[in-house]
């Protein structure tokens, strides 16, 4: 998007260029505004030059149309004005309100001796082009009647909400001032990332400085806020009830589709220059861990998630958590480490069975829980969760250092918030494979390099 675009010609106020190969048209808009309603757009205004040596507005508009037509690329031209288009003008009164254009067939029906036909003759003479070319030009320009300032503000309100921004009165004022500054300063081209960064800096994000990341994995669950960034992999699961979706239809999609989507989301979030992210959506524990690992504490991210009606944030004041190593046992003669997180329930029996029945080359099984053992209420809150996640990571670091294990196999039985926090803390740990519980059994999902 560009404001006061250097290549926009007479339609340079707002230019939106489409990506190459998209097939979409470039959009060029010229805005003409008046404080009072005593000025109309009519033949006199269109054919009168503001200076003795200058061109009239219609000549400027035509020159831009002719230049863009010669490029062969699709484009649209819009003249947006809060001035009224003269309903008594024999050409402008042909504007079709359903398209905001003058239909070519309506121009072709004008007879030479009619008021409209004579007007076409005057306009074509002024531009020194044929009536045929004039009619083609006029039929391809959108002539849009703008609204009062208050009406534009009300139109912006739902659009800002849909963009994941605040839409209160103060936010509308800030947003309008931001765009006005682009115009008065002649900012030119503005990339999406530049706009996102400025939006965050001006405190326009819907959650007051916190971005919203939606991850639609096993279902498209309704979410209270419109997200700033979305990851959608629902179509990569089997077409069954969401509760039954545990494995991707093609396991190869984890490295080829899911991880690239996670990395792209991180890049898009990073453009806002805010490091606070609220995570929403329907997903299973490996993806919660993956989101945390993709947006780690060491990179300055602060994550939050709704857990049983309470917001858990990684910035919560830490509460001392008792990490209990319930078991540290030899499994088979190999050089890798299996880790079972046992907080909401005890998964050890199934994990042992998985290790014995598969080719997972784990030498040791480390079972991490808390004093009192696993239960549905084992994790009391965010402060405890972030402290426990840090201690669990340190225990895994210590175990891999002792054994020289170059790979960790991770099995999680914990609240979603803790899985997110654990991934958020998971650094300086060898390559890690995260497993999904299939009830019964386990299957590998995402592998994170150490």
């Amino acid at each position: 998007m560009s404001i006061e675009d250097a290549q926009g010609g007479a339609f340079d106020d707002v230019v939106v260029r489409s990506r190459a190969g998209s097939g979409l048209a470039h959009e060029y808009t010229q805005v003409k505004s008046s404080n009072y309603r005593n000025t109309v757009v009519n033949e006199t205004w269109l054919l009168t030059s503001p200076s003795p040596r200058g061109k009239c507005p219609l000549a400027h508009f035509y020159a831009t149309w002719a230049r863009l037509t010669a490029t062969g690329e699709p484009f649209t031209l819009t003249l947006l004005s809060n001035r009224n288009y003269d309903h008594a003008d024999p050409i402008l009164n042909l504007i079709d309100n359903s398209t905001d254009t003058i239909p070519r067939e309506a121009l072709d029906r004008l007879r030479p001796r009619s008021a409209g036909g004579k007007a076409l003759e005057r306009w074509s003479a002024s531009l020194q082009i044929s009536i045929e070319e004039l009619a083609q030009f006029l039929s391809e320009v959108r002539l849009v009647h703008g609204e009062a300032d208050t009406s534009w503000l009300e139109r912006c309100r739902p659009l800002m909400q849909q963009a994941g921004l605040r839409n209160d009165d103060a936010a509308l004022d800030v947003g309008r001032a931001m765009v006005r500054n682009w115009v008065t300063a002649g900012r030119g081209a503005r990339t999406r990332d530049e706009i996102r960064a400025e939006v965050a800096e001006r405190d326009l994000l819907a959650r007051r400085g916190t971005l919203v990341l939606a991850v639609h994995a096993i279902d498209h669950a309704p979410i209270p806020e419109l997200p700033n960034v979305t990851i959608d992999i629902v179509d990569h699961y089997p077409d069954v009830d969401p509760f039954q979706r545990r494995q991707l239809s093609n396991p190869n999609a984890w490295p080829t589709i899911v991880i690239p989507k996670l990395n792209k989301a991180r890049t898009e979030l990073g453009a806002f220059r805010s490091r606070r992210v609220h995570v929403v959506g329907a997903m299973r524990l490996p993806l919660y861990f993956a989101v945390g690992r993709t947006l780690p504490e060491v990179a300055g991210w602060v994550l939050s998630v709704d857990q049983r009606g309470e917001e858990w944030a990684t910035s919560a004041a830490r509460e001392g958590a008792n990490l209990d190593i319930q078991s540290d046992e030899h499994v088979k003669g190999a050089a890798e480490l299996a880790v079972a997180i046992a907080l909401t329930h005890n998964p050890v029996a199934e994990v042992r069975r998985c290790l014995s029945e598969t080719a997972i080359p784990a030498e040791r099984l480390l079972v991490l829980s808390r004093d009192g053992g696993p239960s549905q209420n084992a994790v009391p809150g965010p402060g405890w969760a972030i402290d426990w996640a840090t201690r669990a990571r340190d225990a895994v670091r210590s175990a891999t250092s002792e054994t020289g294990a170059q790979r960790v196999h991770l099995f999680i039985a914990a609240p979603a918030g803790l899985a997110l926090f654990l991934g958020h803390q998971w650094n300086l740990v060898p390559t890690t494979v995260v497993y999904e519980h299939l009830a019964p059994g386990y299957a590998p999902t995402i592998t994170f390099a150490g």
Side-chain angles (χ1 to χ4, degrees), residues 43-381:
E43 180 175 309
T44 300
W45 183 85
L46 288 169
L47 299 185
T48 301
S49 172
S51 63
R53 295 185 179 181
K55 294 181 179 180
C56 65
L58 189 66
H60 284 294
F61 298 154
Y62 167 74
T64 300
W65 174 82
R67 176 174 59 82
L68 293 175
T69 298
T71 67
E73 296 184 10
F75 66 92
T76 63
L77 298 179
T78 299
L79 176 61
L80 173 63
S81 177
N82 65 355
R83 304 167 182 174
N84 290 320
Y85 292 95
D86 188 1
H87 67 276
D89 186 282
I91 294 180
L92 297 176
N93 68 8
L94 299 176
I95 297 173
D96 184 341
N97 286 333
S98 64
T99 62
D100 292 317
T101 61
I102 302 175
R104 175 62 191 269
E105 56 270 23
L107 293 170
D108 291 342
R109 284 196 298 267
L110 295 175
R111 297 183 177 182
R113 295 186 178 181
S114 67
K118 293 177 180 178
L120 285 178
E121 186 70 35
R122 292 192 297 273
W123 291 23
S124 64
S126 176
L127 299 180
Q128 298 182 346
I129 60 175
S130 67
I131 290 180
E132 169 74 16
E133 187 168 9
L134 173 66
Q136 189 63 33
F137 156 57
L138 292 177
S139 67
E140 293 183 11
V141 179
R142 295 179 65 239
L143 303 169
V144 180
H145 181 248
E147 304 169 23
D149 198 47
T150 53
S151 179
W152 280 109
L153 285 176
E154 288 308 307
R155 180 180 292 191
C156 286
R157 196 181 300 276
L159 293 175
M160 290 179 70
Q161 181 184 30
Q162 291 172 19
L165 305 179
R166 290 168 45 206
N167 67 343
D168 53 89
D169 291 344
L172 291 174
D173 290 340
V174 171
R176 179 169 58 172
M178 181 176 73
V179 175
R180 279 179 173 169
N181 180 62
W182 296 346
V183 176
T184 57
R187 287 294 183 88
R190 304 287 287 163
T191 66
R192 180 181 62 179
D193 288 351
E194 288 172 338
I195 294 172
R196 284 174 165 174
E198 188 168 357
V199 159
E201 289 169 0
R202 291 177 178 264
D203 194 27
L204 289 175
L205 299 176
R207 291 178 62 90
R208 288 283 186 178
T210 299
L211 301 164
V212 176
L213 169 64
V215 182
H216 301 302
I218 60 173
D219 196 12
H220 290 109
I223 54 179
E225 305 98 349
L226 286 169
N228 302 101
V229 177
T230 299
I231 297 172
D232 192 336
I233 59 169
V234 173
D235 290 344
H236 293 282
Y237 280 91
D239 186 16
V240 296
D241 184 272
F243 189 77
Q244 297 176 287
R245 292 172 182 160
R246 295 180 179 273
Q247 286 185 285
L248 297 181
S249 301
N250 178 7
N252 289 330
W254 287 112
T256 61
I257 294 176
V258 179
I259 288 182
K261 283 180 178 288
L262 286 166
N263 292 336
K264 180 182 178 183
R266 179 181 57 210
T267 300
E268 292 182 359
L269 291 166
F272 286 95
R273 297 182 189 169
S274 170
R275 284 296 185 268
R276 302 187 68 89
V277 179
H278 188 69
V279 182
V280 298
M283 67 194 106
R284 297 200 178 275
L285 296 178
L287 259 180
Y288 274 106
F289 179 92
V291 171
R293 177 65 174 74
T294 303
L295 304 173
E297 182 185 56
V298 293
W301 296 99
V302 177
L303 307 183
S304 61
V305 65
D306 291 330
Q307 183 73 46
R308 297 178 182 173
E310 178 187 2
E311 182 173 294
W312 285 17
T314 57
S315 58
R318 297 200 176 207
E319 302 174 11
N322 185 307
L323 175 74
D324 180 31
I325 299 179
Q326 282 200 338
S327 176
D328 184 358
E329 57 193 68
H330 179 83
V331 180
K332 60 178 77 169
E336 299 181 2
L337 176 69
V339 177
I341 306 299
L343 287 171
T344 52
H345 67 275
N346 192 339
V348 175
E350 282 195 80
V351 172
R352 286 193 186 116
R353 187 179 307 114
C354 174
L355 296 176
S356 66
E357 295 177 354
T358 64
I360 298 174
E363 177 188 17
R364 290 171 60 184
L365 170 60
L366 188 67
V367 182
L368 305 180
S369 188
R370 63 159 297 166
D371 54 330
S375 73
Q376 290 300 310
N377 300 311
V379 184

Side-chain angles (χ1 to χ4, degrees), residues 365-407:
L365 170 60
L366 188 67
V367 182
L368 305 180
S369 188
R370 63 159 297 166
D371 54 330
S375 73
Q376 290 300 310
N377 300 311
V379 184
W384 191 98
I386 192 65
D387 189 66
W388 191 95
T390 303
R391 294 172 186 268
R393 178 206 62 197
D394 291 345
V396 174
R397 282 180 181 172
S398 178
T400 56
S401 177
E402 291 173 6
T403 63
Q406 297 299 307
R407 183 176 293 259

Side-chain angles (χ1 to χ4, degrees), residues 411-430:
F411 305 82
I412 305 174
L418 192 135
L420 178 74
F421 288 12
L422 187 62
H424 187 60
Q425 296 292 319
W426 205 259
N427 69 301
L428 298 179
V429 177

